[in-house]
């Protein structure tokens, strides 16, 4: 049995199954617009699918979008944005 993974106040791998909601917007406006109904629904986890984001290969745009998304979601989820994420993936 694998150990549970803790994301703020959510523990994956223990207790009831968790509800995860994806964000698949292609623009920052689409991404931020998706946060309103997500916040109202109060899922356990929000997954930002960066593979849908049209500027995924632009490190500055990716960083900006991640920071704006984190601010829009507030304390709802644990989302530590690593500005070197894309660099680390493509290295």
């Amino acid at each position: 049995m694998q150990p549970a993974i803790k994301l703020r106040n959510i523990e994956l791998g223990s207790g009831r199954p968790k509800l995860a909601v994806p964000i698949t917007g292609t623009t920052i406006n689409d991404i931020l617009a998706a946060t309103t109904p997500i916040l109202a629904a109060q899922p356990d986890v929000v997954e930002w699918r960066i593979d849908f984001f049209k500027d995924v290969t632009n490190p500055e745009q990716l960083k900006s979008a991640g920071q704006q998304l984190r601010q829009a979601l507030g304390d709802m989820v644990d989302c530590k944005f690593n500005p070197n994420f894309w660099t680390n993936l493509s290295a």
Side-chain angles (χ1 to χ4, degrees):
M1 182 175 189
Q2 294 183 357
I5 297 171
K6 186 139 174 101
L7 300 174
R8 288 195 183 233
N9 60 348
I10 300 295
E11 199 168 289
L12 303 177
S14 70
R16 67 170 176 76
K18 309 307 187 269
L19 176 65
V21 176
I23 294 179
T24 58
T26 59
T27 67
I28 187 60
N29 289 336
D30 293 343
I31 291 164
L32 295 177
T35 63
T36 300
I38 288 172
L39 287 169
Q42 298 182 345
D44 298 307
V45 177
V46 177
E47 174 192 18
W48 178 27
R49 292 287 311 271
I50 65 169
D51 52 319
F52 282 82
F53 184 45
K54 71 178 180 88
D55 291 319
V56 69
T57 59
N58 181 322
E60 292 81 24
Q61 291 297 317
L62 187 61
K63 178 180 179 180
S64 176
Q67 290 170 335
Q68 290 178 65
L69 179 58
R70 179 66 183 103
Q71 184 175 9
L73 291 174
D75 288 332
M76 180 179 175
V77 295
D78 188 23
C79 178
K80 294 182 176 78
F81 185 75
N82 178 353
N84 298 316
F85 179 76
W86 183 257
T87 304
N88 292 343
L89 280 182
S90 60

